[in-house]
Structures are given as C-alpha cells and as structure tokens.
Amino acid sequence: MKKIILLLLCIGISVNGYTQNEDEKQLKKIYDQALTDGKAYDWLNYLSNQIGGRLSGSLEAQEAVEYTKAQLDSLGLDRVWLQPVKVPKWVRGTPEFAYFETSPGLSTNVSICALGGSVATPLQGIKAGVVEVQGIEDLQKLGKAKIEGNIVFYNRPMDPTVISTFASYSGCVDQRYSGAEEAAKYGAVGVIVRSMNLRLDDYPHTGSMSYGDTPVSKRIPAAAISTKGAELLSTTLKLSTETQFYFKQNCKQFNDVDSFNVIGEIKGSEFPNEIMVVGGHLDSWDLGDGSHDDGAGCVQSMDVLRLLKATGYKPKRTIRAVLFMNEENGLRGGNKYAEVASNKKEKHVFALESDAGGFTPRGFSFDCSDENLKQVHSWKSLFEPYYIHLFEKGYSGADIRPLKSDDMVLAGLRPDSQRYFVHHHAENDTFEHVNERELELGAATMASLVYLFDKYGIIK
C-alpha cells in the first residue's frame, strides 16, 4: 500500500483525488498575481477617499454603485449589470451632542452617536436621570417604577476573554439592537448603549437597531456612547445617583428609495447554469469611510474575478461577484438577489462572503454538509504555504444566507479578528487602517477557494 501511495505522489496525484502539482501551481499563480499586481487596494482607495461612507439611500452609495460597475466593466467580464432594489433611507443629521451633569452647572461632555434607525430627540434634546443596567434582562428585575421617566444606560461590555471577537460581539449586541424597544415598555425616555468595542477610546460605534412593533408615537431615541464615556458615566453614577444625562440628535427616517446590487460574471465553460457567488456589501455606515466594513469585502470579491482571468483559468461554472446594497440596515440587497434567483430558477451551488474586515486571512467557516467540509480539509495542504489553517463549520454571511439550500455550500472568509471591533461602525473605519498586503492575501485566498470548488464541484 505504501508503494502505491508513493507512486501516486510521484506522478502528482494526491490520495485525496486532486492533482496536487497542478493545483499548487494554480494557487501560486493566484497569490503571485494578487501580491504583485492586485487591484483591490486601489479600488478601495477610491471608494474610501473619493466617495466615503456609503449609507443606503445616500448620494455616496449611488456613486459607489456607478464606480464599481465601471471597474467591473473594465475587466472584460462576460456580463455586468445593476439589479434594482428598494432600500431604506435614514439620515443622521447634524452631529449629536451629549453631557452628564452631577450638579447644576457642573457637566462633562461625552461622545455619542445615534444608532442607525433611531428617532430624533425633541428639538430641545432630552435630559433625565440615568438607570444603568448590564443587559435587557435587568429591565424586568428593576420594573417600571425605577425605569419610567429615565434614560436606560446599557453598559454590558464585550467579553475580552473570548478569543473570537465575533462571538464576544454576539454576546452583547442585543442591547444595541433591541434595547430601545424593550426599555420603552417600561416607560424609559431614551437609551444610551455602550459601544461594541473591546478597546477603551472616544469613538462611539453606531449600528442597526429595531423598534419591533412599537408604535411610532412610543419610540424613544437611542444612541451609542464611546467606551471611555461609558466607563466615566458608570463611575460617576456610583458616586452620584442624582446624575442627569442630556443628549440631542437630529436623525430622520425617509421613504424607501431606489438603489442597486452590482453584479459581474464570468460564464461557465462546462456548467454555465451552475452559479458560484463571491461578494460583500457595498453600503456602509456614515461615520467613517467603511474601508473594513465592508469596502474590503467588495474589492476582494471584484478582484477574485480579475485574478481568475489574469491567471488564465477558465471556470467550469458561472462565477459572479455580487456587491450587495443595504446589508447594514435592512439586508434588502441580499434578500432581493435571492428572490430574483429563485424567480428565475437559477441553480446556485456555492457562495462565499467577505464581511469581516481586510485583515490577514486565517481561513473560512462553512455552512455545508460534512462531506463537503471533508473535501475542504483535503485541500488544507494547498493552503498551508499561505498560513491559511482555519476550516470549520460555522456562519457564512448575512447577504448570502438567503440563498441557502440543502445542496449548496456557503462560506465566509475569516481574517484575524482581534482589531476588527476597534473600527467596526465607527469614525476610525478608514482607509489608512487597511494594510495593502493583508487585503491582497484575502483576495487571493478567496480566489483559491473559488477555483477549487469550481474545479472539483460540490458533493451532493
């Protein structure tokens, strides 16, 4: 048996069923092309520094649609098009302002920002007492008598002992998303939420929130406070329970507006009706320029198509780059893409999303069958020279999730996450915090996985 295995290895065929030498060469070509002539960083530079934050429904979002379509057109793809989608339009308005007051005339300013989708305060702002809680579950314990007429201050931090920062984020993001809806039930007049950030700094982090089925007349304003501000406010409340908090914000929700997903594809040479998707979301929040979240994922997805063409690979299956609109505050783009695909009876077999920042890639998480995950593990030796080692079951991505079916593979790129929540949804999510080489490595890693699944297919 050992002689047989040795013979197979000598002629370039692995015991896992793929041509090791051929695949090694193709991955090397992909990585070499990305690291010597990558386009992702230049595209991101334009998106970030010439266009800026791309909140759904904004002029900047439309400019991003036009720019990325033009760049995909320039790649000589088989088809590039815009897919119409209605998106919400929420506007922040003039900058928010907040302070807390321990006695008349003695106040301390703190950094806040309105949460996405929040209502405005009254024109004169809101000033009230503060009730600090560690989570939504504390509201019931305190009851209406202690909460009514006050501002609820959610101050549960991200757990620094959890190595997966996305898991840490999941452990406390409910207070941001549902905090205002739940606090309103107990008569609160407003909500302040500790930013989802592992670092102590003065950058408040926005993000989506929901009022659920709360009537419009009973919706209360919600804002995020920086982590330094949260620490200071919490300490002050322990020293003075009579502390008052004031904040003013001017945000507004408008009617839905027209926008687009941006799509480019290379037609498959053997199985054109089998579609593989790689994508990220083109919209971002408005505080920074959305470089990590998720300009990085968009330009990486665009470069996947370019890398495959530049290395001379002719896909068997149709490969699409999809830049989804409105992931941040509605998921309209992802839902619309899946709806159109279903109506057209398109056969999607694979989808890969990059929405975890442009940091050094570590691997992928997969929503797929055990058989397909086993196939991925058979490719591990191909990725090891590039320090890609993580191949596990897990979450794929918000925009590709609506495509899910039993006989397809969903995957999410997993970069190193330790710095991600320093920038997530904050003013410092900007271009200078993206490393060119790390971004290019991510694009090459994505292109390599697409190549392997295209070549060997999905196990059904």
Side-chain angles (χ1 to χ4, degrees):
M1 182 63 182
K2 290 182 179 178
K3 291 182 178 179
I4 294 174
I5 293 174
L6 181 61
L7 177 62
L8 290 173
L9 291 174
C10 287
I11 63 174
I13 301 175
S14 86
V15 292
N16 293 312
Y18 60 83
T19 311
Q20 182 79 21
N21 289 345
E22 183 180 319
D23 293 334
E24 285 176 353
K25 290 175 182 177
Q26 178 60 25
L27 263 64
K28 181 73 164 58
K29 286 198 289 185
I30 289 171
Y31 277 92
D32 286 355
Q33 174 66 211
L35 294 171
T36 59
D37 192 30
K39 302 302 180 189
Y41 195 68
D42 290 340
W43 289 331
L44 185 62
N45 185 9
Y46 192 94
L47 273 179
S48 301
N49 293 321
Q50 300 303 314
I51 296 177
R54 304 168 297 279
L55 193 57
S56 289
S58 67
L59 174 62
E60 291 81 4
Q62 180 58 31
E63 289 176 346
V65 166
E66 294 168 3
Y67 172 72
T68 52
K69 181 181 184 298
Q71 297 310 304
L72 288 172
D73 279 330
S74 72
L75 298 181
L77 305 177
D78 294 314
R79 187 185 175 203
V80 178
W81 73 100
L82 301 181
Q83 184 178 74
V85 57
K86 286 281 189 181
V87 299
K89 182 179 176 66
W90 177 84
V91 175
R92 183 174 302 279
T94 55
E96 302 86 345
F97 177 71
Y99 64 82
F100 60 81
E101 185 179 79
T102 51
S103 61
L106 185 59
S107 63
T108 302
N109 292 357
V110 288
S111 297
I112 69 162
C113 65
L115 293 180
S118 175
V119 297
T121 60
L123 288 177
Q124 70 275 17
I126 288 176
K127 187 176 182 181
V130 183
V131 177
E132 180 178 351
V133 298
Q134 289 296 300
I136 291 171
E137 60 278 1
D138 287 350
L139 300 177
Q140 187 174 3
K141 298 174 187 175
L142 291 171
K144 191 170 184 177
K146 292 187 177 180
I147 295 174
E148 190 169 25
N150 289 309
I151 293 169
V152 169
F153 168 38
Y154 290 100
N155 192 33
R156 183 166 77 250
M158 291 178 65
D159 186 349
T161 68
V162 178
I163 301 303
S164 169
T165 62
F166 282 89
S168 181
Y169 173 76
S170 296
C172 57
V173 73
D174 63 328
Q175 60 191 341
R176 187 197 77 198
Y177 188 76
S178 302
E181 176 189 4
E182 297 302 320
K185 296 174 183 177
Y186 294 87
V189 296
V191 159
I192 299 294
V193 183
R194 182 189 182 101
S195 288
M196 305 292 110
N197 181 7
L198 282 159
R199 185 176 75 167
L200 287 178
D201 61 28
D202 277 321
Y203 293 107
H205 293 224
T206 192
S208 62
M209 54 85 65
S210 171
Y211 290 108
D213 57 3
T214 305
V216 174
S217 62
K218 296 188 179 298
R219 295 179 180 182
I220 59 176
I225 185 172
S226 71
T227 48
K228 275 191 175 181
E231 291 289 297
L232 182 58
L233 178 57
S234 180
T235 300
T236 302
L237 289 170
K238 290 177 176 64
L239 297 173
S240 174
T241 57
E242 302 304 312
T243 298
Q244 299 268 300
F245 192 92
Y246 171 87
F247 74 112
K248 177 177 171 58
Q249 56 192 41
N250 304 278
C251 38
K252 185 177 180 180
Q253 188 75 49
F254 293 86
N255 293 331
D256 290 354
V257 298
D258 294 325
S259 191
F260 303 92
N261 294 327
V262 184
I263 308 172
E265 75 174 22
I266 302 172
K267 203 73 171 176
S269 59
E270 294 183 31
F271 312 106
N273 293 329
E274 294 187 8
I275 299 169
M276 302 176 65
V277 164
V278 57
H281 65 86
L282 192 52
D283 63 305
S284 75
W285 288 107
D286 56 321
L287 297 179
D289 59 44
S291 286
H292 276 299
D293 187 19
D294 183 30
C298 287
V299 296
Q300 286 173 330
S301 299
M302 294 164 65
D303 216 22
V304 167
L305 299 189
R306 191 195 66 83
L307 289 169
L308 294 176
K309 283 180 66 67
T311 56
Y313 180 68
K314 298 188 183 305
K316 297 179 180 180
R317 294 161 179 83
T318 294
I319 301 177
R320 285 180 184 168
V322 183
L323 313 184
F324 299 96
M325 184 57 70
N326 182 233
E327 186 271 348
E328 291 293 6
N329 59 337
L331 285 173
R332 302 281 185 87
N335 288 326
K336 173 57 71 172
Y337 181 83
E339 175 191 327
V340 172
S342 177
N343 291 341
K344 291 185 174 181
K345 301 189 181 327
E346 292 179 335
K347 183 180 181 182
H348 283 72
V349 296
F350 173 87
L352 167 62
E353 185 166 339
S354 173
D355 186 16
F359 301 102
T360 303
R362 299 299 188 206
F364 304 92
S365 57
F366 294 90
D367 184 354
C368 66
S369 67
D370 291 340
E371 291 77 12
N372 279 296
L373 187 62
K374 185 177 179 180
Q375 177 176 230
V376 171
H377 279 281
S378 77
W379 301 329
K380 283 185 72 171
S381 63
L382 293 168
F383 286 98
E384 284 172 355
Y386 309 100
Y387 300 107
I388 305 301
H389 63 274
L390 180 68
F391 304 93
E392 63 180 9
K393 281 282 189 82
Y395 182 67
S396 56
D399 280 312
I400 63 174
R401 176 76 180 177
L403 286 170
K404 181 177 171 60
S405 66
D406 292 337
D407 58 351
M408 73 177 294
V409 172
L410 301 181
L413 179 69
R414 291 292 163 256
D416 186 289
S417 73
Q418 302 312 311
R419 289 171 287 158
Y420 182 68
F421 288 98
V422 171
H423 306 281
H424 183 247
H425 297 174
E427 185 182 345
N428 64 341
D429 182 5
T430 50
F431 180 72
E432 65 265 27
H433 296 293
V434 177
N435 178 278
E436 181 176 3
R437 187 173 177 83
E438 292 178 350
L439 184 73
E440 291 166 344
L441 285 168
T445 301
M446 293 166 68
S448 297
L449 185 70
V450 170
Y451 156 74
L452 289 167
F453 266 111
D454 177 61
K455 180 176 179 180
Y456 295 107
I458 309 301
I459 299 173
K460 300 177 182 177

